[in-house]
Amino acid sequence: MRERSAVGVACALLVLCVTLLTGCQSPSGAAEEDGRLGESGSSSAGPGEQQVTPPTRPAGYGAVFLGVDECSSFGTTSFTEVPCTGERAAARVVARHDGRVGDGPLCPGTTDFVLHISEQSRTSDEDGDGAIPQGYACMRNLSPPHPGDPGGGGGPRTIVGDCVYGSGDGQVRETSCDGEGKRKPQHKVSKAVTRRADCPLSTALYVQLGGAKPVGCARPV
């Protein structure tokens, strides 16, 4: 596959906003009578987040820019789509969906970060490749570190095996379970269930995970 570069074009409207989303949780309620915190929701990214500069519009892309199993490079000013076997390849697309992240399917649990792709119409497409719908690509680094792995301390989702700490104001954020992050882990998600009542008695914190089993049962560490 020939390399597709992200060359800036004056008339291009497509901008890829790249954000490394980490597993941040915000409890939806105050502590209950049994001492457990309320189920959490999304909050801002936690410590250790890698800030990535948004890419410019790619020239010569195909029907789907960064489709499943295609790869991107990391750059100081932009992302580009490159051959997965090339030296510049850094991350692979593991899932690709149209629409906004909040409205579409969840990325796989071990996704390292998400690329947000804004919509571009056919009339604004300077090389005639067709309209580009709004969407997002779930990315997995080709080599470690993998913040999306259980206990990795980051990624766009919190999953079983991840650790969190209290960040104040009733919020919790994800941190590395090995204790080598900026913040020490306080709780670890040991089980995913469909409702709180299914959590073990040792559960000290409920964490929102999403998916078919949206409740994470977390115990102290």
Side-chain angles (χ1 to χ4, degrees), residues 102-121:
D103 299 331
L106 293 172
C107 283
T110 55
T111 298
D112 288 329
F113 65 96
V114 178
L115 284 175
H116 298 266
I117 303 170
S118 61
E119 182 177 3
Q120 179 175 319
S121 67

Side-chain angles (χ1 to χ4, degrees), residues 37 162-168 170-179 182-189 202-205 207 218-221:
L37 293 180
D162 280 339
C163 292
V164 297
Y165 68 93
S167 60
Q171 296 182 343
V172 294
R173 291 185 177 180
E174 196 174 327
T175 188
S176 176
C177 287
D178 59 15
K182 293 183 179 180
R183 297 296 299 268
K184 300 296 182 183
Q186 296 175 339
H187 295 85
K188 184 174 183 178
V189 180
S202 59
T203 300
L205 183 75
V207 179
R219 57 175 176 76
V221 296

Side-chain angles (χ1 to χ4, degrees), residues 197-215:
D198 295 330
C199 284
L201 294 177
S202 59
T203 300
L205 183 75
Y206 300 107
V207 179
Q208 182 177 340
L209 305 181
K213 296 183 177 181
V215 180

Side-chain angles (χ1 to χ4, degrees), residues 149-160:
D149 281 352
R157 293 184 56 188
T158 299
I159 59 178
V160 173

Side-chain angles (χ1 to χ4, degrees), residues 44-181:
S44 60
E49 176 180 357
Q50 179 183 359
Q51 186 65 37
V52 184
T53 305
T56 56
R57 181 190 186 281
Y61 57 86
V64 177
F65 174 64
L66 285 177
V68 174
D69 287 334
E70 293 181 331
C71 293
S72 70
S73 67
F74 287 129
T76 57
T77 60
S78 67
F79 265 83
T80 58
E81 184 180 294
V82 297
C84 291
T85 55
E87 294 182 355
R88 298 176 60 200
R92 185 187 301 272
V93 181
V94 294
R96 179 76 152 78
H97 303 291
D98 291 337
R100 298 183 301 176
V101 173
D103 299 331
L106 293 172
C107 283
T110 55
T111 298
D112 288 329
F113 65 96
V114 178
L115 284 175
H116 298 266
I117 303 170
S118 61
E119 182 177 3
Q120 179 175 319
S121 67
R122 182 180 299 273
T123 57
S124 62
D125 180 13
E126 60 101 26
D127 55 9
D129 287 333
I132 303 298
Q134 182 183 31
Y136 55 99
C138 309
M139 309 297 293
R140 172 82 173 171
N141 294 331
L142 294 179
S143 59
H146 293 292
D149 281 352
R157 293 184 56 188
T158 299
I159 59 178
V160 173
D162 280 339
C163 292
V164 297
Y165 68 93
S167 60
D169 299 329
Q171 296 182 343
V172 294
R173 291 185 177 180
E174 196 174 327
T175 188
S176 176
C177 287
D178 59 15
E180 296 182 357

